[in-house]
Amino acid sequence: KWTTDDGRIMVNGQPLVLKGVNYFGFETETYAPHGIWDHNLNDMLDFIKDNNFNAIRVPFSMEMVRDNPVIMNVHCHNNPNLCGTSALRMLDIFIDRAAERGLLIVLDNHRTQSGGYISPPLWYNNSAGYPEDEVIRLWKQLVMKYKNHWNVFAIDLKNEPRDAATWGRSNRNTDWNQAAERMINALHEFPGFFFVGGIEWGGRFENAAQYPIETGRAHLNERVVYSPHCYGPDVYDRSEFHVENTHEYAKNLDRIYTAKYGFLAEKGYPVVIGEWGGKAKPGTRDAKWNNWFVDWIRDKCMTNNFYWALNPNSGHTGGLLEDDWKTPIQHKLDLVNRAQPNPTKFKKHNEKICITKGT
């Protein structure tokens, strides 16, 4: 049973300690996890498990769900039985293999259309044929498909609302908080968590202080998780990253991020960082920010997180692996290990799921 209690996310009444990573590809024109054009999928999942992660956030597109195309760019010899597979069957296989390794799954509505199209700013895209009711219909299709899979423990309703997206302004067409409430109510059969990102690329929740997510149903409210995204100067440079005085740097960033979403944890709302990261090359401003951010989420008790990303082909951030998709980048692994050194462990044994507490 998945629930929350006084700001903590829980599994069977015990705190769930998450050390997650984003692994993308289903939302792109290949409709499959990246890297399997050269390497075996099992090797990718083994790397995640062997490096002490316990969860994967899996971006997908609504187009993938609706059209269910055949996946592309698969190394057939290294991935027997995957060539010619449909996208949704590939997702089945991915989820099942993750479960074999004790890895939890978050399904992330990352894009409306696949390929190079960036996600629309709102949760619907009428011009592309994805009005709100169609988005909810496709979500329901996934929920009904995976609601009984023990390791599909959360769904991320919409990646990074921005631009026209508002929170708490009583505008049905732009208010993301109201849309999230409608979607959660429509998807009430899903037994896991509902991740809700902030506006302005996922990072701003100021109005959630006055307008928290309220579905009208206690059993749904207790499974709402606020999921901010946060990046440093490698992704988007800002003036606050150029403060040279170490004390003022930390004080200023704490003020900014506490106002954006850090206050949620202080007020007892459950928070899981849905994306963070960067190249963090030692000696750079981005490394300075990444190290500060790890210190900050530890101080705020917000260390449940999903690092962006496993994939080396993420342009602004790179990944945990070098471009060969094999060689680990140790300074990044050190960062995520410091952020969450002891996650909850899951292992299937005799048709039961054994849970080892994290701290």
Side-chain angles (χ1 to χ4, degrees):
K1 182 180 180 180
W2 312 101
T3 187
T4 62
D5 178 53
D6 193 27
R8 298 175 298 176
I9 56 174
M10 314 287 284
V11 54
N12 291 354
Q14 298 294 327
L16 171 60
V17 183
L18 284 175
K19 180 187 177 186
V21 65
N22 287 270
Y23 182 9
F24 64 82
F26 282 100
E27 84 287 10
T28 71
E29 68 279 355
T30 70
Y31 307 102
H34 282 181
I36 62 173
W37 46 61
D38 284 322
H39 302 286
N40 186 287
L41 174 62
N42 291 334
D43 294 339
M44 300 291 102
L45 296 175
D46 285 343
F47 175 86
I48 294 171
K49 178 181 182 295
D50 292 345
N51 281 278
N52 208 30
F53 292 93
N54 66 353
I56 309 172
R57 182 170 176 259
V58 182
F60 69 89
S61 73
M62 285 296 170
E63 179 185 341
M64 184 206 83
V65 181
R66 187 187 66 184
D67 297 347
N68 193 23
V70 173
I71 64 173
M72 302 175 66
N73 288 14
V74 183
H75 194 295
C76 298
H77 178 74
N78 288 342
N79 291 280
N81 305 320
L82 294 189
C83 281
T85 301
S86 72
L88 289 176
R89 177 58 187 147
M90 180 71 244
L91 187 56
D92 293 342
I93 293 168
F94 187 95
I95 290 171
D96 288 344
R97 292 189 186 182
E100 291 168 2
R101 293 162 173 80
L103 297 170
L104 302 179
I105 296 291
V106 181
L107 296 176
D108 157 42
N109 172 18
H110 207 77
R111 292 177 178 169
T112 300
Q113 295 162 281
S114 299
Y117 300 97
I118 195 165
S119 176
L122 298 172
W123 58 95
Y124 60 90
N125 188 348
N126 291 338
S127 63
Y130 295 90
E132 180 179 306
D133 60 353
E134 176 68 356
V135 171
I136 290 175
R137 184 188 73 83
L138 293 169
W139 256 130
K140 281 185 177 179
Q141 180 180 333
L142 283 182
V143 163
M144 297 309 292
K145 185 177 178 64
Y146 296 120
K147 68 176 185 176
N148 293 322
H149 284 62
W150 73 267
N151 65 324
V152 181
F153 85 115
I155 58 176
D156 194 330
L157 297 174
K158 160 71 178 126
N159 184 64
E160 297 183 346
R162 63 189 184 280
D163 300 338
T166 58
W167 189 300
R169 294 184 181 176
S170 300
N171 184 335
R172 181 184 175 92
N173 293 325
T174 63
D175 266 12
W176 168 228
N177 58 308
Q178 292 187 39
E181 291 164 0
R182 292 193 297 273
M183 294 170 78
I184 292 167
N185 272 297
L187 303 172
H188 63 91
E189 292 180 83
F190 181 67
F193 296 114
F194 301 95
F195 282 18
V196 180
I199 59 174
E200 292 195 28
W201 297 93
R204 303 198 68 159
F205 288 87
E206 289 96 331
N207 287 350
Q210 184 177 359
Y211 303 102
I213 299 297
E214 174 53 66
T215 67
R217 304 183 190 185
H219 73 284
L220 295 178
N221 289 342
E222 69 179 7
R223 289 185 281 120
V224 171
V225 174
Y226 296 90
S227 188
H229 295 184
C230 201
Y231 290 101
D234 271 1
V235 174
Y236 188 82
D237 205 2
R238 299 177 184 271
S239 60
E240 56 261 30
F241 302 140
H242 292 263
V243 176
E244 297 301 330
N245 181 282
T246 301
H247 175 73
E248 289 301 317
Y249 180 88
K251 182 179 177 181
N252 192 40
L253 287 179
D254 174 65
R255 176 184 59 80
I256 292 169
Y257 290 134
T258 297
K260 286 182 177 181
Y261 62 85
F263 74 92
L264 290 167
E266 294 175 354
K267 288 181 174 290
Y269 291 107
V271 176
V272 172
I273 308 297
E275 292 183 17
W276 69 283
K279 294 181 180 177
K281 186 176 179 180
T284 64
R285 290 189 195 279
D286 196 66
K288 181 179 179 180
W289 179 86
N290 272 270
N291 278 288
W292 171 84
F293 185 72
V294 170
D295 291 339
W296 185 72
I297 61 175
R298 285 169 60 99
D299 183 62
K300 294 286 185 181
C301 293
M302 292 193 302
T303 54
N304 286 323
N305 74 89
F306 287 81
Y307 187 80
W308 186 277
L310 176 72
N311 309 50
N313 58 325
S314 178
H316 292 298
T317 66
L320 293 174
L321 295 169
E322 298 281 8
D323 289 343
D324 61 6
W325 286 86
K326 293 191 300 183
T327 307
I329 300 178
Q330 192 59 47
H331 70 265
K332 292 188 174 188
L333 288 172
D334 291 343
L335 276 170
V336 294
N337 290 338
R338 190 160 66 84
Q340 192 67 283
N342 192 23
T344 304
K345 299 290 181 64
F346 297 86
K347 185 175 183 179
K348 192 170 183 178
H349 180 70
N350 292 338
E351 301 307 312
K352 293 184 178 180
I353 307 304
C354 301
I355 304 174
T356 303
K357 295 179 183 178
T359 56

